[in-house]
């Protein structure tokens, strides 16, 4: 680790959890509005949109639902036993909410380029539990048209294997897989295993992949049971190789042991067939799993949140072929990514210094929730990720952070940050606009 000092006067950021406690940066002008997410000399994210939500939020996803040049959002809301997904558009103005779908059994959703290339608008794929032990759960594609889901067009598919005949009985997590240029090739699906009924030939499936109906008109689903795992509960698309096409990683519970692993898959004739490679962070159960290129080498790292362990782990590729990952040295990074009960994370250069930072939401011991940014120390070599936690904002008075995501609401090349909060009366969506200093 090397700290950089670029001026005679320096601003010092002392993080709550850091390898060396503080690091020095070049002096900058004070933030004109410090009421948002603010850390002197580092992060200046001023309040932007503040939109009331007609329900309690449970998930937030970045999306592109219209052609106004501004990112949009997909927001999952709950009201009693009913779960809905709304498209949130026109975020640079007053914000507009359009209901896309509602059901009591929506497990996950993801914006996806299904019927158009990645230069257009996204459709929305939803994952549902049907209770059908033969045909499994259901994947539904909701088509985004010229008027943002006004037509309500949709097409549904049973999650029953076309070749292996294995159903995904209890789908729990969904990730779109593509190359960022063409339409997505399909979706990785995590299937929480359920015991087969007595005398039933149906075996539980853990890892599934659905080929997009835009590629095969009828779509196709394949599932692979893996005896190494008792269940999988999170899936994320990730670039494990140097190719543009994404692969998949799953958070999985081993058949023996109480600490999750990250199971890798790759395209080896059969899309998303499980590989022999697994990552063992060794920090207990994984609540959320992400993939992000934190050091700019073109290959993504896995970032896992361990709520019960109060820690965030980072795993990076150590071997190219086959893709092999390993967590960062836990002794070297002890305390660096420690935060009470991490809830969600987002990734981007929030400080404008050219390094990718990690925004994180977490729960405090007193019942409040906070948003912070792990500011990556400058001038580090690839594969080195020492950071300090700053830019804190705490929510109380009956509001709790549920999820957050990085997005772009203007053309200044600085990632903004959207946060959804739950309250007794429903929830709200806040977007903070990035006015942090630029690296130029």
């Amino acid at each position: 680790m090397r700290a950089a000092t670029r001026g005679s006067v320096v601003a010092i950021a002392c993080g709550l959890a850091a390898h060396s406690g503080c690091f020095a940066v070049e002096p900058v002008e004070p933030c004109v509005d410090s009421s948002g997410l603010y850390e002197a000399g580092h992060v200046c994210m001023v309040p932007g949109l503040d939109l009331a939500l007609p329900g309690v939020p449970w998930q937030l996803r970045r999306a592109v639902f219209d052609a106004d040049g501004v990112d949009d959002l997909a927001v999952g809301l709950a009201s009693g036993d009913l779960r809905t997904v709304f498209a949130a558009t026109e975020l640079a103005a007053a914000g507009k909410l359009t209901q896309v779908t509602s059901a009591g059994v929506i497990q996950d959703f993801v914006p996806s380029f299904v019927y158009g290339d990645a230069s257009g608008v996204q459709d929305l794929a939803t994952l549902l539990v049907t209770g059908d032990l033969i045909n499994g759960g259901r994947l539904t594609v909701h088509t985004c048209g010229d008027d943002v889901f006004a037509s309500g067009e949709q097409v549904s598919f049973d999650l029953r294997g076309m070749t292996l005949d294995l159903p995904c009985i209890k789908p729990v997590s969904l990730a779109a897989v593509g190359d960022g240029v063409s339409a997505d090739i399909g979706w990785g699906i995590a299937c929480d295993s359920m015991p087969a009924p007595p005398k039933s030939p149906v075996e539980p499936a853990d890892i599934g992949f659905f080929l997009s109906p835009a590629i095969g008109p009828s779509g196709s689903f394949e599932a692979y049971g893996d005896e190494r795992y008792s269940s999988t509960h999170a899936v994320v698309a990730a670039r494990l190789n140097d190719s543009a096409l994404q692969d998949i990683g799953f958070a999985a519970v081993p058949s023996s042991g109480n600490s999750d692993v990250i199971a890798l898959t790759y395209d080896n004739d059969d899309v998303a067939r499980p590989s022999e490679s697994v990552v063992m962070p060794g920090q207990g159960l994984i609540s959320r799993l992400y993939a992000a290129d934190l050091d700019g080498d073109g290959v993504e790292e896995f970032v896992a949140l361990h709520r019960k362990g109060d820690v965030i782990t980072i795993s990076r590729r150590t071997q190219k072929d086959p893709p092999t990952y390993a967590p960062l040295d836990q002794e070297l990074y002890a305390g660096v990514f420690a935060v009470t009960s991490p809830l969600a994370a987002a990734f981007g250069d929030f400080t404008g210094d050219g390094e990718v930072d990690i925004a994180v939401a977490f729960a405090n011991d007193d019942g409040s929730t906070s948003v912070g940014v792990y500011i990556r120390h400058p001038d580090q070599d690839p594969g080195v990720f020492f950071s300090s936690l700053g830019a804190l904002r705490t929510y109380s008075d009956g509001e709790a952070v549920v999820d957050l995501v990085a997005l772009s609401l203007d053309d200044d090349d600085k990632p903004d940050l959207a946060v959804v909060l739950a309250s007794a009366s429903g929830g709200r969506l806040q977007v903070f606009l990035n006015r942090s200093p630029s690296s130029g």
Side-chain angles (χ1 to χ4, degrees), residues 22-391:
C22 302
F23 60 96
V25 297
E26 142 181 28
V28 296
E29 294 296 322
C31 184
V32 295
D33 185 346
S34 60
S35 64
L37 300 178
Y38 173 68
E39 175 71 22
H42 289 76
V43 178
C44 175
M45 303 187 77
V46 302
L49 178 73
D50 197 329
L51 185 64
L53 299 174
V56 179
W58 54 276
Q59 185 164 266
L60 184 66
R61 302 271 196 178
R62 175 192 166 275
V64 179
F65 289 143
D66 54 31
D68 64 357
V70 171
D71 282 349
D72 307 302
L73 293 165
V75 187
L77 301 177
S79 179
D81 294 332
L82 182 68
R83 281 189 166 191
T84 59
V85 182
F86 279 77
T89 58
E90 300 180 18
L91 300 181
K96 175 184 177 182
L97 291 172
T98 302
Q99 182 173 310
V100 182
T101 183
S102 64
V105 290
I106 300 175
Q107 295 297 303
D108 200 359
F109 59 88
V110 62
S112 181
F113 294 104
V114 184
Y115 297 109
D117 61 37
S119 64
V121 299
Q122 292 176 307
D123 303 299
L124 186 78
T126 58
L127 199 61
L128 300 95
V129 172
T130 62
D132 190 330
L133 299 180
I134 302 300
N135 294 316
R138 184 170 297 136
L139 176 77
T140 303
V141 179
H142 306 264
T143 304
C144 181
D146 295 335
D147 195 18
V148 190
F149 299 105
S151 66
E153 295 179 3
Q154 62 185 46
V155 58
S156 294
F157 305 90
D158 290 330
L159 296 179
R160 181 182 181 88
M162 302 290 286
T163 303
L164 300 180
D165 207 35
L166 292 174
C168 179
I169 298 172
K170 189 180 178 183
V172 293
S173 184
L174 180 69
V177 179
D179 62 5
V181 177
S182 305
D184 295 334
I185 65 169
W187 302 274
I189 300 174
C191 305
D192 191 10
S193 300
M194 295 179 65
K199 300 182 180 179
S200 171
V202 177
E203 294 292 337
D206 292 327
I207 295 174
F209 189 85
F210 193 98
L211 187 67
S212 170
I215 297 176
S218 61
S220 63
F221 175 73
E222 295 296 353
Y224 301 92
D226 196 317
E227 294 181 354
R228 293 177 295 175
Y229 316 120
S230 61
S231 67
T232 60
H233 54 274
V235 59
V236 64
R239 287 185 169 85
L240 308 183
N241 297 287
D242 297 327
S243 66
L245 187 63
Q246 294 171 310
D247 301 285
I248 306 171
F250 292 84
V253 178
S255 298
S256 60
N258 59 2
S259 183
D260 279 10
V261 299
I262 303 169
L264 310 186
T265 68
Y266 56 91
D267 182 0
N268 184 20
D269 296 329
D270 295 291
V271 175
R273 181 176 292 277
S275 75
E276 295 301 316
S277 296
V278 297
V279 186
M280 303 179 67
Q283 297 295 316
L285 299 180
I286 295 171
S287 60
R288 299 285 292 267
L289 181 63
Y290 303 90
D293 185 1
L294 300 179
D295 57 2
D297 64 354
V299 177
E300 292 184 311
E301 282 72 42
F302 286 112
V303 180
L305 309 188
H306 306 261
R307 289 188 63 178
K308 292 184 178 180
D310 294 343
V311 70
I312 299 172
T313 59
I314 297 174
S315 300
R316 64 187 304 265
R317 195 180 74 177
T318 57
Q319 180 177 306
K320 179 178 179 180
D321 190 18
T324 304
Y325 275 66
L328 300 182
D329 188 320
Q330 296 297 328
E331 293 185 2
L332 186 61
Y333 284 86
V336 174
F337 294 102
V339 63
T340 56
S341 192
L343 304 172
F347 308 89
D349 179 13
F350 298 110
T351 61
D353 65 355
E355 306 282 0
V356 176
D357 311 301
I358 303 174
V360 60
F362 55 94
N364 301 301
D365 292 336
D366 62 3
S368 64
T369 55
S370 297
V371 175
V373 174
Y374 276 106
I375 303 169
R376 189 179 179 206
H377 292 191
D379 297 341
Q380 293 186 94
D381 294 327
V384 180
F385 305 103
F386 289 112
S387 300
S388 291
L389 183 61

